[in-house]
Amino acid sequence: MNIRSFSADIAPAALRASSRYELAVPADARRALATGWLALAIGALLASGLFSILLVLSRAPYVKDVFPLADFFRVALVVHVDLSVLVWFAAFAGLLWSLHGAPRLLWLGWTALAGAGAATLAMCAAPFVDQGLPLMSNYIPVLDGPVFLGALVLFGVSCALVVGRALAVAPRVGTRPDGAAALRFGLNAAAVSAAVALLAFAWSYAAVPAEVERKAYFEVLFWGGGHVLQFTWTLLMFAAWLWLGEAIGARNPLSPRIAILLFAIALASVFATPLIYLAYDVVSVEHYRMQTWLMRIGGGLAIVPFGLAVLWGVMTAPRASAVTAPLKASLIWSLALFGAGGLIGLAISGSNVKIPAHYHGSIVGVTLAFMGLVYYLLPRMGFGRPQGRLATVQPALYGAGQLLHIAGLLWSGGYGVQRKVAGGEQMLRGAEQVAAMGLMGLGGLLAVAGGILFAFVVLRALWTSSTSRS
C-alpha cells in the first residue's frame, strides 16, 4: 500500500474524529464537585415538583373548588419557578463548569456549592416559616420576607463564586478547533454571559430607587439580568444539543468552526446590555423595551441554524439502541418544546396565559436537553447507566405532558384567561375555557409525573456503580 492511498483511507476517519462534539469526563477531584452540583440540581427538581402539584390543583377546573388552594397559589408559584428554573439551571451549569475547567480553585467551587445548597433549603422552608408577600416579578419572583430574600442573596453570591471560578479555570480553545474545542467555547461563552447577568443584577440594585413600590422594585431589579440569563441557558442548551447528537451517532452538518461562530453570535448580543444600562435609566420604558428587543432579535440569531443542524442530524441518525434511546428521546423532545415555545412567542398579545405557554415551552426545551445530558454523563461519572423502558419513557412523558400543558395555556389565552391567577380569579365562564384549562391541568400532572420519574431514574443510577467506563 502506498502512502498516498493510505492517507486517503484514514483522512475521513481522522476528520470525523476531530469533529466529534464530546468532552472527556475527568477522573480527578472535579468529578466529586460535579456530583455535588448534580445532587443539588436533582433535589431542586424534586422540591419544585412538589410545589408544582399545588399549582396544577389550584388551576384545574372543579378540583380548585374542592381544595381552597388559591391563597397559596402565588406562594407555591414563587418557589416552584425559582427552584425549577433558577436553581436547577444554575446547578446544572455548575456541574458542567466543574467538569470542564482546569483542576484549580476547587475550594471555591465547594464553597459555592455549600452556599447554593443552604440557600435552596432556605427557599423551600420560607413559605412555612416566613409570612413574606408573594411578588410575581418576571424571571425571579420573590417572597418579600427576610428568609426568602436572604436565601436569594446567598444564592446570588454562590453563583458569583462558581461563575468566577469558571472564568478563572476556563481552558483555551486553540487556533485549530475541533468538536471538543467548540463545546469548550460554548461553555466558556455561557460563563461570560452569566458574568454579564450578575453585573446587570448588581447594576440594577445600585440604580433602582429604594422608594419604588415593592413589586415594581423587584421587577426592575431582575429585568436586565433576567434577560441575560436566558442567553446563558440557551448557550448551555446548544452545547447539550451538540453533545447529545454526537452521543446518538448523529452526523451534524456544522463544522466546529461554524459551531464556534454560532456560539459567538449568540454571545455577542449579551455585550449590548451594559450599553443599554448606560443609555437609559433602569426605571425607564426605553430600558424595558430595549432589553426585550435584545432578547427577541439577538437571542434568535443562532437558534434557527443550531436547531436545523441538530434536527437534520437526528433525522439521519442510526436507529437508537437501549443505551442511546433515552438520549435520543430527550433530544427530540427538547427540540420540539423549544420550537413550540418560540412559535407561541409570535402569537403573544396582551397579558394572558399565552405568555407562560411561551416561556414554559422554551424553558422545558432547555430542561429536556439537560436531562438527556445527565443520562449521558452519569456512567462517565462513575454511576450506573440509565437505560431501559423507564429511562426511555421519561422524556416522552415529561415532554408530552408539557406540550399538553402549554397547548391548554395557549388555548385559554385565546379566551383571555389572565396569567398569574388561580381559583375563582380565573373567571372561567364558558365550556371552552374550562376544557382548555382542564387540558392544561392534565398536561401539568403528566409533566410532574415525568419530572418525578426523571429523579427516580437518576437516583437509581446514582446508587448503582458503573460496571463499565465509557
Side-chain angles (χ1 to χ4, degrees):
M1 178 183 295
N2 60 50
I3 295 177
R4 179 172 296 181
S5 63
F6 178 73
S7 300
D9 289 337
I10 66 170
L15 181 61
R16 287 194 300 272
S18 67
S19 300
R20 291 181 66 86
Y21 293 104
E22 60 183 359
L23 291 174
V25 174
D28 53 32
R30 288 172 290 178
R31 183 182 294 184
L33 178 58
T35 301
W37 284 109
L38 175 61
L40 176 60
I42 301 304
L45 278 186
L46 278 173
S48 171
L50 296 177
F51 280 98
S52 69
I53 293 175
L54 294 175
L55 292 178
V56 171
L57 293 178
S58 63
R59 271 183 164 176
Y62 307 115
V63 178
K64 66 181 175 59
D65 299 322
V66 176
F67 299 98
L69 299 174
D71 291 340
F72 195 65
F73 169 79
R74 291 180 180 85
V75 174
L77 181 58
V78 167
V79 183
H80 165 73
V81 170
D82 287 339
L83 291 175
S84 62
V85 180
L86 181 64
V87 179
W88 153 248
F89 284 176
F92 191 81
L95 181 157
L96 292 180
W97 291 329
S98 298
L99 292 175
H100 154 70
R104 294 185 286 108
L105 300 176
L106 290 175
W107 64 270
L108 196 59
W110 284 109
T111 302
L113 176 59
T120 302
L121 289 175
M123 287 183 199
C124 295
F128 308 103
V129 300
D130 192 5
Q131 298 300 316
L133 181 68
L135 299 176
M136 310 312 299
S137 48
N138 282 294
Y139 296 113
I140 305 178
V142 302
L143 300 180
D144 193 8
V147 175
F148 193 88
L149 294 180
L152 270 185
V153 171
L154 177 58
F155 192 82
V157 171
S158 302
C159 288
L161 293 179
V162 73
V163 170
R165 180 184 180 273
L167 294 174
V169 303
R172 295 182 179 180
V173 174
T175 56
R176 302 183 64 181
D178 55 10
L183 288 182
R184 287 196 294 270
F185 185 90
L187 297 181
N188 290 346
V192 172
S193 176
V196 175
L198 291 169
L199 172 64
F201 286 134
W203 200 327
S204 293
Y205 177 77
V208 62
E211 63 272 13
V212 172
E213 185 267 333
R214 293 298 281 177
K215 185 179 186 304
Y217 177 87
F218 288 109
E219 186 73 21
V220 174
L221 178 63
F222 298 130
W223 185 254
H227 274 79
V228 181
L229 277 181
Q230 308 317 302
F231 288 92
T232 304
W233 312 143
T234 302
L235 285 163
L236 292 174
M237 181 187 68
F238 289 160
W241 279 357
L242 293 176
W243 209 337
L244 286 173
E246 189 68 47
I248 66 173
R251 291 185 174 229
N252 197 306
L254 296 178
S255 70
R257 291 184 182 274
I258 297 299
I260 288 175
L261 175 62
L262 292 176
F263 276 123
I265 291 173
L267 176 65
S269 300
V270 168
F271 297 111
T273 299
L275 299 179
I276 295 174
Y277 274 84
L278 288 171
Y280 304 107
D281 191 274
V282 294
V283 296
S284 66
V285 174
E286 291 79 9
H287 178 90
Y288 186 94
R289 288 177 177 172
M290 288 300 295
Q291 292 285 358
T292 302
W293 280 106
L294 177 63
M295 189 170 66
R296 286 181 178 177
I297 299 175
L301 293 177
I303 290 174
V304 173
F306 255 123
L308 290 177
V310 174
L311 180 61
W312 171 260
V314 171
M315 293 173 62
T316 57
R319 185 173 180 176
S321 64
V323 172
T324 62
L327 311 182
K328 188 172 184 178
S330 299
L331 182 54
I332 290 173
W333 281 103
S334 174
L335 289 166
L337 266 297
F338 196 84
L343 292 175
I344 292 172
L346 301 176
I348 291 176
S349 59
S351 180
N352 54 56
V353 289
K354 288 182 181 179
I355 296 175
H358 155 66
Y359 67 67
H360 268 86
S362 300
I363 287 171
V364 172
V366 177
T367 293
L368 279 160
F370 289 177
M371 286 177 170
L373 199 52
V374 168
Y375 285 164
Y376 173 82
L377 289 173
L378 278 172
R380 290 157 179 81
M381 293 173 64
F383 302 105
R385 184 187 302 277
Q387 58 184 335
R389 184 177 298 274
L390 288 181
T392 303
V393 167
Q394 183 274 319
L397 179 62
Y398 186 71
Q402 288 289 2
L403 198 59
L404 290 176
H405 184 79
I406 66 175
L409 289 172
L410 179 62
W411 186 7
S412 302
Y415 290 105
V417 176
Q418 296 300 292
R419 60 187 299 224
K420 299 180 181 178
V421 297
E425 298 177 24
Q426 294 177 111
M427 295 183 292
L428 305 181
R429 295 190 176 90
E432 295 86 356
Q433 294 183 22
V434 172
M437 293 305 285
L439 181 64
M440 179 281 307
L442 174 61
L445 288 173
L446 290 175
V448 169
I452 293 174
L453 183 57
F454 170 75
F456 173 77
V457 171
V458 172
L459 290 174
R460 185 174 63 176
L462 288 174
W463 288 103
T464 306
S465 297
S466 178
T467 57
S468 61
R469 301 292 178 90
S470 300

